[in-house]
Amino acid sequence: MPNEESAPRFPGRPGDWVLYKDNQLIAFNKPAGLPVVPDKKKSPNLLQIGAAYVRQDLYPIHRLDRPVSGVVLFAKKTAAQTRVSEQFQARSVAKTYLAVVGERPTEDAATLVHYIREGKGNVSEVVDQSDKTAKRAELSYRYLASSDRYHLLEITLLTGRKHQIRAQLGAIGSPLRGDTKYGFKRSNEGGVIDLHAHVLSFDHPVSGSRVELRAPLPTGPVWEGFKGADVMG
């Protein structure tokens, strides 16, 4: 059975993944299944591939789960890494995801608040607020469209917890397509899941101007089934 550790083929070349670059930063549209940073199994990862592409060291600013696709931003200088990382900590970075689920939520738009703790087997558990090891997790979603079998949600993250979107959607009975860790019945080929980091907005570390990065959607029939939705630009 495919799992999160499988290594699918990645489309295109690293140059095709570039969304933005200047002398301070570079951003990629990460393929699903590719780790952002080195892991215990020494898998190919975006940090090393990106550094080879630009022929210099890169510095991680944030992460995406291995099975997730979309915008990943690296710094070319440590000062830029520090300044943008501080924005993540201050929650001034705007992060919007697109999620494909098998079960449409009962409400077309809502803000979800749960309490999450890290469980065994690299899983985040939704628990009662009284659990002192749990952290508050908050996101907003809105329903966008349906295909023959699936439903598309737009997710705005308000906190940044491990596996937050995956755990919270699973908790309301709308797990992500392919995400068997959080309740979907079948895995996807290569262990990837249908969650895409679509838009990332932040202040440039030098100019201070607002930068909005938008990652084109993954290819494949599931995503192509939503091409008429209003966020597909």
Side-chain angles (χ1 to χ4, degrees):
M1 176 180 293
N3 57 52
E4 211 167 283
E5 306 306 320
S6 301
R9 294 182 180 180
F10 304 118
R13 301 176 181 179
D16 300 328
W17 307 341
V18 176
L19 298 172
Y20 175 91
K21 61 180 177 180
D22 62 17
N23 63 351
Q24 301 290 324
L25 304 165
I26 187 167
F28 296 93
N29 185 9
K30 183 185 87 70
L34 180 66
V36 172
V37 296
D39 60 16
K40 294 179 181 179
K41 294 193 174 184
K42 300 181 179 179
S43 304
N45 60 84
L46 186 59
L47 178 62
Q48 293 172 342
I49 292 170
Y53 171 73
V54 297
R55 299 182 180 181
Q56 70 171 87
D57 288 341
L58 296 177
Y59 303 95
I61 295 173
H62 67 120
R63 311 282 174 88
L64 289 181
D65 292 346
R66 178 175 182 156
V68 178
S69 61
V71 183
V72 175
L73 182 66
F74 294 112
K76 293 182 176 179
K77 301 178 181 180
T78 55
Q81 179 192 35
T82 298
R83 290 170 186 164
V84 181
S85 296
E86 288 171 350
Q87 295 178 49
F88 275 87
Q89 293 167 7
R91 298 181 184 175
S92 62
V93 175
K95 296 173 281 186
T96 302
Y97 291 73
L98 296 175
V100 177
V101 298
E103 298 294 331
R104 182 172 172 174
T106 55
E107 296 180 85
D108 283 348
T111 296
L112 304 180
V113 177
H114 293 96
Y115 289 82
I116 292 177
R117 70 180 180 192
E118 189 166 347
K120 297 179 180 179
N122 194 33
V123 172
S124 291
E125 299 174 336
V126 172
V127 295
D128 188 82
Q129 181 178 353
S130 61
D131 190 319
K132 294 182 179 180
T133 65
K135 295 180 179 179
R136 189 177 187 274
E138 183 176 359
L139 63 78
S140 294
Y141 75 82
R142 68 183 181 104
Y143 164 80
L144 296 178
S146 293
S147 64
D148 291 343
R149 298 178 61 187
Y150 303 109
H151 311 283
L152 182 68
L153 307 178
E154 181 184 73
I155 310 290
T156 301
L157 270 184
L158 303 174
T159 57
R161 308 304 182 198
K162 179 179 178 180
H163 291 191
Q164 178 180 336
I165 296 173
R166 301 168 66 178
Q168 290 195 268
L169 290 182
I172 65 167
S174 298
L176 292 155
R177 179 180 177 271
D179 198 0
T180 54
K181 279 190 174 184
Y182 294 95
F184 201 81
K185 293 180 180 179
R186 298 176 303 280
S187 60
N188 293 338
E189 182 178 358
V192 303
I193 60 177
D194 289 299
L195 179 63
H196 182 68
H198 188 45
V199 182
L200 183 73
S201 301
F202 60 95
D203 295 333
H204 192 275
V206 175
S207 70
S209 60
R210 195 70 172 172
V211 178
E212 181 180 279
L213 305 178
R214 188 175 292 261
L217 298 189
T219 58
V222 172
W223 288 102
E224 288 169 3
F226 298 109
K227 278 191 173 178
D230 61 0
V231 297
M232 294 309 169

